[in-house]
Amino acid sequence: FVSNELLYRSFEVFGPIERANVVVDDRGKSTGEGIIEFAKKSSANVCLRFCSEKCFFLTASLRPCVVEPFEVNEDDDGLPDKSLNKKSPEFNHERSVGPRFAEIGSFEHEYGTRWKQLHELFKTKQEALKRELKMEEEKLEAQMEYARYEHETELLRQELRKRESDNERKKMEWEMREKQAEEMRKRDEENMRRQQTEMQTRMLRQEEDMRRRQQENTLFMQAQQLNSLLDQQEGFGGNNNGGNNFDNFGRASNNSPFEFRDPISALLGGNAGGGNSGNGTGNGPNNPQVRSFFDLFLR
């Protein structure tokens, strides 16, 4: 039930006042606080000193005024008298007694002092709560910094694990590539060795074929020469009437400067003997070397 006008008249005792307003909420009801703007700073200091040392009441309520420095809010119109319900019994009861200072030791002073002590307790608890809130804020800020550090550290750990995983994967890929390259190199070497072995085998086979063909050609030429010599020998035997006279001629002419050699024996490296050529036991066609030569040629 304190209005702007009551607030103005009550604090006017300390000095000239520029403005006195009661703080109201959104619904227009008083919040229990007010703002007094003094014309001089000295008047405000006197008000602060007196209201702090004594109990200053505005109405019949034993709840004294608690004065604190405060900046003026230009947009606050306060609570005028016309906004109060003057027909209310409580209004008449509260306004029945005007502003006054309580006598020391009186009933009003005692309960006013208790109200001030309650306000001081509220302020103390409020300050303690503020300090506790401040400590909680600092604690929360420290926890937040620690949590941020842990979060950043975890991110770095994850990045490090990711890089290690990438490096391990790349290492495995490189090892796989090296293994594949080594396998390819070994396979190429094996193919090259196999090709070289096959080429050497083909070359050896070709050399063997060439030697065999050379041997066959040599044997064929020797067989042709032998056939030719045999044909020549048979021709000589027919012209000399069976060959006995020819042998006798050979044997009769041992002292002759002309010596006759068997062409087959000359080819095979045998000795020319008149008796051996005539009796068929020398180097003739029945000789084992000649037979083996013919068998080899036929094979």
Side-chain angles (χ1 to χ4, degrees), residues 217-239:
N217 292 334
T218 303
L219 293 175
F220 181 73
M221 294 297 294
Q222 290 178 358
Q224 285 184 347
Q225 291 178 1
L226 183 59
N227 289 331
S228 155
L229 292 175
L230 290 175
D231 292 339
Q232 291 179 2
Q233 186 176 6
E234 289 177 357
F236 282 119
N239 293 330

Side-chain angles (χ1 to χ4, degrees), residues 148-202:
R148 182 185 293 112
Y149 172 77
E150 287 293 327
H151 179 67
E152 293 176 354
T153 305
E154 184 62 25
L155 291 178
L156 291 176
R157 289 197 189 100
Q158 292 179 1
E159 184 68 21
L160 181 60
R161 285 195 294 267
K162 183 179 179 181
R163 290 184 180 180
E164 289 178 354
S165 178
D166 293 339
N167 292 334
E168 189 67 22
R169 180 176 54 81
K170 290 181 181 179
K171 183 178 179 181
M172 292 179 63
E173 290 179 356
W174 292 339
E175 291 178 354
M176 185 65 67
R177 291 178 181 176
E178 289 180 357
K179 185 177 180 180
Q180 292 178 355
E182 184 68 19
E183 291 178 354
M184 291 180 64
R185 186 180 62 81
K186 290 181 180 179
R187 190 162 53 249
D188 293 339
E189 290 179 355
E190 185 67 23
N191 293 332
M192 188 176 295
R193 283 196 297 269
R194 186 170 61 254
Q195 291 177 0
Q196 290 178 356
T197 304
E198 292 177 355
M199 186 178 296
Q200 291 177 359
T201 304
R202 286 198 301 268

